[in-house]
Amino acid sequence: MSATSELGRRQLLRHIGTALAAGTVTGIVPAAAQGTTPSASPEPRASFGPLKRVRAGDLEVAYAEAGPADGKPVLLLHGWPYDIHSYAEVAPVLAGAGYRVLIPYLRGYGATRFLTDATPRNGQQAALAHDAVAFLDALKIERTLVAGCDWGARTACILAALWPARCKGLVSVSGYLIGSQQANAMPLPPKAELQWWYQFYFATERGREGYARYTRDFARLIWELASPQWRFDDATFARSALAFDNPDHVAVSIHNYRWRLGLAQGEARFDETERKLAAFPTIAIPTITLEGDANGAPHPEPAAYARKFSGRYEHRTITGGIGHNLPQEAPRAFAQAVVDVDGF
């Protein structure tokens, strides 16, 4: 371990200890407990303070920020159907360790809005990646640590693969998630296809209408299936569910899954990016991948993607009933991975 990593580790642990003693950071359990018992949400968690906004590419991006303005930047990207509160307990820990933490709402979530009605409500992977680059450009951030889960992990992987000069290190839940329409055209064994039931549902107009009509019920079901041992409460879910009231949420979500199956077109301006991604480029920057031991969502096995990381690399399985939304279920383990990859 480098001296920088050891210093970051000591700062992180000192902040966690202080916060736990003072009761100022919720949702972070002692080391002896985290990784041995299912994560729980017995009380509503504190939300972020007032959001900031910046025009970036196609969007006015609403984002949470924590930590010193001159701190080393960390970009945290959420997934579907989650929101920035996946990092509500991660952010204060990283901020306390001196990082500048940036957590944007993705297109179609929260207070993020398209600048014009003419922009397609596109959910393809390249569009989300270009959103992230535009966000960094708008904030004049040249290089950042990048970390994510679900859609956010895919976007983080794309940034690391195609814009490595912008990324100091990567933390990715469920590993290498870059995809392609060609790869998605290949059938899977029946049990694996069953896990993607909602993708096929979304391919139909009934599915689009069903998601529009029952968005919160649908999202809550996904939370329960993807994290079967996560004991989140109504208030925790309701806090994130507000993000799904975005007027573009349904359109972006449906397009994302239809695009994957080749049932919806992407935008021509992203064709070159998708061509590069279809070659499944390796990631050379320092990387830590994480997986929960109770992830109920479709996800590859770590051995299947280890060779996609050609730089310094480590995989960690987080035990104790941790599901798909790993940053919110195991915030200390996620924050520690960010600090550690920074020290690689």
Side-chain angles (χ1 to χ4, degrees):
M1 180 184 298
S2 70
T4 302
S5 178
E6 179 59 29
L7 176 61
R9 182 185 294 272
R10 290 200 303 268
Q11 290 176 327
L12 180 66
L13 292 176
R14 183 166 59 252
H15 177 69
I16 291 171
T18 301
L20 285 172
T24 58
V25 177
T26 59
I28 302 175
V29 297
Q34 184 162 329
T36 59
T37 58
S39 53
S41 299
E43 298 177 357
R45 307 292 173 73
S47 294
F48 295 105
L51 297 177
K52 296 185 176 183
R53 287 172 172 78
V54 65
R55 288 196 169 198
D58 296 332
L59 307 169
E60 180 179 72
V61 179
Y63 66 101
E65 181 170 350
D70 61 350
K72 188 176 298 184
V74 180
L75 177 63
L76 302 179
L77 300 167
H78 72 82
W80 174 92
Y82 305 99
D83 83 323
I84 63 173
H85 290 96
S86 288
Y87 302 104
E89 284 78 48
V90 173
V93 176
L94 292 177
Y99 291 94
R100 180 188 181 190
V101 185
L102 302 162
I103 317 171
Y105 275 112
L106 303 185
R107 54 170 59 196
Y109 292 81
T112 290
R113 295 290 186 273
F114 286 89
L115 295 176
T116 73
D117 292 337
T119 304
R121 273 39 179 175
N122 180 355
Q124 74 181 107
Q125 61 180 357
L128 295 166
H130 280 270
D131 287 348
V133 173
F135 178 70
L136 294 176
D137 289 344
L139 295 182
K140 297 181 172 54
I141 294 174
E142 292 298 323
R143 198 162 182 245
T144 182
L145 295 160
V146 60
C149 182
D150 194 79
W151 288 17
R154 178 173 295 106
T155 300
C157 286
I158 293 172
L159 292 182
L162 300 188
W163 288 274
R166 306 295 297 269
C167 305
K168 185 179 187 300
L170 167 68
V171 174
S172 178
V173 176
S174 296
Y176 187 94
L177 296 179
I178 295 172
S180 74
Q181 288 180 319
Q182 183 178 4
N184 288 337
M186 299 298 293
L188 300 173
K191 286 185 178 179
E193 296 282 23
L194 179 61
Q195 288 190 302
W196 286 109
W197 63 272
Y198 54 89
Q199 182 170 245
F200 301 113
Y201 180 61
F202 287 167
T204 69
E205 281 306 297
R206 174 173 173 163
R208 184 198 62 77
E209 177 61 26
Y211 189 57
R213 184 177 301 184
Y214 303 109
T215 307
R216 294 193 179 199
D217 292 339
F218 201 102
R220 181 156 190 149
L221 176 61
I222 295 296
W223 281 35
E224 292 168 350
L225 294 175
S227 299
Q229 297 185 46
W230 183 25
R231 308 296 184 242
F232 63 88
D233 60 14
D234 291 344
T236 297
F237 176 76
R239 182 184 61 180
S240 288
L242 291 172
F244 313 144
D245 294 339
N246 182 297
D248 301 307
H249 176 74
V250 172
V252 170
S253 299
I254 296 299
H255 185 270
N256 177 284
Y257 288 102
R258 289 185 179 181
W259 179 87
R260 296 190 199 193
L261 294 178
L263 302 175
Q265 291 186 339
E267 293 178 71
R269 58 181 170 144
F270 299 130
D271 285 353
E272 178 60 19
T273 299
E274 293 295 354
R275 184 191 65 77
K276 293 177 181 178
L277 296 176
F280 300 105
T282 57
I283 293 173
I285 69 169
T287 299
I288 293 176
T289 58
L290 302 173
E291 188 60 83
D293 65 339
N295 186 357
H299 62 279
E301 291 298 319
Y305 53 71
R307 292 186 178 181
K308 301 306 295 183
F309 300 99
S310 60
R312 182 163 179 185
Y313 171 68
E314 181 181 327
H315 175 77
R316 299 175 182 178
T317 297
I318 312 303
T319 62
I322 304 302
H324 188 60
N325 189 13
L326 190 149
Q328 197 164 355
E329 298 177 59
R332 186 168 64 84
F334 189 92
Q336 188 66 64
V338 172
V339 171
D340 289 347
V341 83
D342 183 30
F344 276 8

